[in-house]
Every structure is written in structure tokens, then in C-alpha cells.
Amino acid sequence: MRLRDLLQQGAARLDAAGVPSPEVDARALVLHALGLSPVSLLTRASSEVAPSDEARFEALIARRAARVPLQYLLGEVEWGGVRLRCDPRALVPRPETEWLLHLTLEALAPLAAPRVLDVGTGTGALALGVKAARSGAQVTATDLSPEALTLARENAALNGLDVTWVQEDLITGVPGPFDLIVSNPPYLPDADRAAVQPEVTHDPELALYGGPDGLGLARRLAAQATGVLVPGGRLLLELDPRNAPAFAAELRAQGWTADTAADLTGRERFVVAQWGQR
């Protein structure tokens, strides 16, 4: 079979299975299965595919059609300037969370040697993204899951980055002080369990659901953050766009300076808050 035909058939199979981006995913899987670069995919589009390569690609397509996350099948993804291994030990890092990294680095810009805490680190994405961009930062990351922390340490080694990893429930037992706390906490309301995309069911439930309204973990985190942030320290959160404005209002009622920031699609997904004055 020609490479072009193999790719088209794979995309059609993913489309029939309801995969949201069948052409993009099929292209990523054919590059991975055959060890091709994007340029070589174009130049070899009319070439015959070896039976072993065809079988390897079709096996990946079958798993993706079963809604196994693309990131699991690729094994590693590029995210926020770092390479991340992805598997069921932690939440797959989403593209929208890269904007949280951007907001974090923007907030850190005036500080020469910032002290940063990433709460609920998962794959280590935010912690490693900060450390890669700001080598002089002191970065600490926590997670309740030992499996997630093992994966985060593997990703730190993969990227040659030095982060302090701590197994804790949110900030419990982490003394600080910190100039900035960043987190993508579990934020889906419990009622969403029956309606999530099939890919989401492969993520650890511990990393997904934030209680009846999705804000349980965010509230606990904000309450703990006041004890370890320096005066004027920042708290940056990614939340469900349905809840971010309401949570910013809650923080303002508690004495924070707080507002929301939109993701690249215009949804108010992020809360940017400051505790006290420097």
C-alpha cells in the first residue's frame, strides 16, 4: 500500500470512531510508527509501505480508535519547551495549560531568583516548564500520587532539570516561602463523570474531579497558600471556565486581589491572584 493511502485509511477509521481530530492524529501516528519526519512524509507519500510498518501503524490506529489518548501512543510529547513522557500515572498535559505556563513566566519576569511551587504536578509539566525557562528559579513540586511523582522525576531526568519533588496533599508539610504558587488542580464537577470524552477516562480520577462544584481542591489550596506566600505573592490556577470567574470573586471576598485570564479560545479559564502587598 502507498503511504498516502495508508494515511487516508487510518484517518477514515479514526473519523468513524468519533476521534475529534482524525487527520491530525493519523498523521502523528504514521510519523511515529514509521519513524518519519514531516518532510519525509511529504516526499515519500507515493512510496510503498513495508508490511511490518503497515502492521505497526494499523495497531496504533486500532488503539486510537478505541480512544486511547494519542499521547499514550506516542509515548512522549513536546510541551512548554520540554519533553514529557505520558502514561496512565498522571493527567495528560493539555495544550491550554501551556498558557498557564505563559502567565506564570510573565508574573515571574521581574524576579531575579523566584521561588516557585507547582501543586499537583502530575507529569511535572508546569514545574519543568518553569525551570527550563528560568534556570535560576528554585522550583518545588508536590503531588499526592507517588506514581505521578515517579513519572515527574523521569521527566526531570529526561530534560536534565533540577526540581524538588515532594509527596504531599496540596501544600501540607511544605514550609515555603514562595513568590508564586501555580496549579492545575482537579476541577471538574463530580456530575461531569458521565459526560467526559472517552480519552479522559484514561486519566487518573484523582487528577480530574474537584468535588460537587469542582472547586473543592482550589478552595483548600487557596486557604493553604496564604501561609506560605510572601507578601504580594501570586497564586495562578487553571480552572473550569464555568467556575473561574466565581472563584476569583470568592478570593476577592477573602482579601485577595484576583481576576481571570482567558485561554487562547477566549474562555475565562485562569485565575490570577495576589496575596497582600510586597
Side-chain angles (χ1 to χ4, degrees):
M1 182 181 296
R2 291 185 305 170
L3 180 55
R4 179 187 296 109
D5 298 330
L6 183 68
L7 182 58
Q8 290 174 349
Q9 287 188 16
R13 185 170 178 183
L14 296 184
D15 187 41
V19 172
S21 51
E23 293 84 4
V24 171
D25 287 18
R27 182 176 181 274
L29 290 174
V30 82
L31 294 176
H32 179 68
L34 277 64
L36 300 175
S37 69
V39 172
S40 60
L41 176 61
L42 295 174
T43 59
R44 293 178 51 184
S46 299
S47 301
E48 296 286 331
V49 178
S52 58
D53 288 339
E54 182 178 339
R56 187 161 52 250
F57 173 69
E58 289 181 346
L60 290 170
I61 287 291
R63 294 183 67 197
R64 186 68 187 102
R67 308 303 288 270
V68 174
L70 176 66
Q71 295 88 342
Y72 289 3
L73 302 178
L74 299 178
E76 292 181 7
V77 297
E78 184 174 342
W79 185 99
V82 294
R83 297 289 298 175
L84 298 172
R85 291 175 182 157
C86 297
D87 63 36
R89 288 177 288 178
L91 185 77
V92 171
R94 268 59 171 181
E96 54 267 28
T97 308
E98 288 187 283
W99 195 249
L100 179 59
L101 174 61
H102 166 77
L103 294 172
T104 299
L105 295 175
E106 191 173 64
L108 294 176
L111 303 179
R115 296 157 294 182
V116 181
L117 176 64
D118 172 23
V119 178
T121 193
T123 61
L126 285 165
L128 295 172
V130 169
K131 189 64 177 179
R134 294 292 306 271
S135 60
Q138 300 175 36
V139 182
T140 303
T142 71
D143 206 289
L144 184 60
S145 165
E147 294 81 12
L149 283 175
T150 298
L151 178 59
R153 290 188 178 98
E154 292 172 8
N155 283 327
L158 179 65
N159 290 278
L161 295 171
D162 183 20
V163 169
T164 300
W165 309 101
V166 182
Q167 184 183 349
E168 284 292 355
D169 179 12
L170 301 180
I171 307 176
T172 305
V174 183
F178 297 101
D179 299 292
L180 184 146
I181 296 172
V182 62
S183 182
N184 177 17
Y187 59 63
L188 292 179
D190 290 342
D192 282 6
R193 291 175 189 269
V196 296
Q197 289 286 328
E199 287 83 355
V200 175
T201 63
H202 292 267
D203 285 317
E205 283 208 355
L206 183 66
L208 292 172
Y209 300 101
D213 64 356
L215 291 174
L217 273 294
R219 291 189 181 103
R220 287 181 53 214
L221 173 55
Q224 293 181 17
T226 60
V228 296
L229 280 174
V230 299
R234 303 290 185 89
L235 174 65
L236 277 72
L237 302 174
E238 178 179 335
L239 296 175
D240 190 312
R242 295 170 292 182
N243 287 333
F247 190 66
E250 285 188 26
L251 291 181
R252 288 193 294 269
Q254 296 165 17
W256 293 79
T257 301
D259 207 344
T260 59
D263 63 19
L264 294 180
T265 67
R267 293 173 295 178
E268 298 296 316
R269 178 181 294 277
F270 308 107
V271 171
V272 180
Q274 185 174 24
W275 181 248
Q277 299 294 325
R278 290 190 184 279

